[in-house]
Amino acid sequence: MRYWLIKSEPYKISIDDLAAMPEQTTAWFGIRNYQSRNFMRNQMSPGDSVFFYHSCCAQPGIVGIAKVTQAAYPDATQFDPSSRYFDAKATEQNPRWFNIEITYVKKTRLLTIKELRRYPELIRMRILQQGNRLSITPIDPTEWKFILNILEKPITQVIK
DNA sequence: GCCAACGTTGGC
DNA sequence: GCCAACGTTGGC
């Protein structure tokens, strides 16, 4: 049982989009970064918990919680020449890219990256490191609990 | 829109 | 296997 943070550009798939999907579930396809692929293929498994993060938008931050509901399998878009995620070097026998599936759990308040940076307990988070661009990052169990705790408190008690 | 940081590609 | 060039990410 592990913890993760997954970035999504809300104009592609927002937390509301995820909630509106059939079964509130989607394949997390289109990841074309080896480190993120390896996390999915080697480590992510059903039952893992996920912070859903909006990036590349006016207010980047954590917006909800999801869970992994399907272990990694080959990403179908790599075989589809009409897809922007097509990869000519991938074959059915030797797929290069994988996706897991995630399912909506709940929305949270917006916990912005700006706010995340204010907690010394979170300074080691990957997404807060300079230049970090990984769209899937592991979250330390201690950090997970810390963030959950922040999310449960009224905002007025958290921000000075 | 800018730009720093990083990953990937490809010539050698 | 090096490394320059290029493309992408993502906060601001």
Side-chain angles (χ1 to χ4, degrees), chain A residues 25-156:
Chain A
T25 296
T26 185
W28 207 249
F29 62 89
I31 302 296
R32 295 293 180 268
N33 168 281
Y34 287 103
Q35 264 186 283
S36 295
R37 179 206 67 179
N38 291 345
F39 283 140
M40 288 196 288
R41 194 186 58 184
N42 306 342
Q43 296 189 33
M44 297 179 87
S45 54
D48 287 2
S49 294
V50 174
F51 284 131
F52 197 95
Y53 180 98
H54 283 175
S55 66
C56 282
C57 55
Q59 296 264 46
I62 292 171
V63 293
I65 293 174
K67 62 184 174 186
V68 178
T69 46
Q70 174 67 54
Y73 58 91
D75 177 341
T77 60
Q78 71 193 303
F79 308 124
D80 176 4
S82 68
S83 169
R84 62 172 295 214
Y85 299 116
F86 177 66
D87 184 341
K89 292 179 180 167
T91 62
E92 306 260 0
Q93 293 72 30
N94 194 13
R96 182 180 283 193
W97 306 110
F98 290 78
N99 58 238
I100 47 129
E101 289 182 6
I102 62 168
T103 300
Y104 175 84
V105 174
K106 64 175 181 180
K107 278 178 87 164
T108 64
R109 73 169 173 89
L110 171 67
L111 205 182
T112 62
I113 188 168
K114 194 176 169 191
E115 184 184 343
L116 288 170
R117 289 191 193 284
R118 298 169 68 154
Y119 301 105
E121 292 88 344
L122 301 179
I123 52 169
R124 297 184 63 237
M125 283 180 71
R126 293 283 284 274
I127 56 153
L128 301 185
Q129 307 307 310
Q130 188 180 29
N132 173 75
R133 302 187 319 182
L134 268 186
S135 64
I136 298 177
T137 51
I139 297 286
D140 194 89
T142 315
E143 292 166 347
W144 178 273
K145 283 183 205 136
F146 185 84
I147 293 170
L148 272 194
N149 192 38
I150 293 170
L151 290 170
E152 279 160 12
K153 285 182 184 167
I155 193 164
T156 50

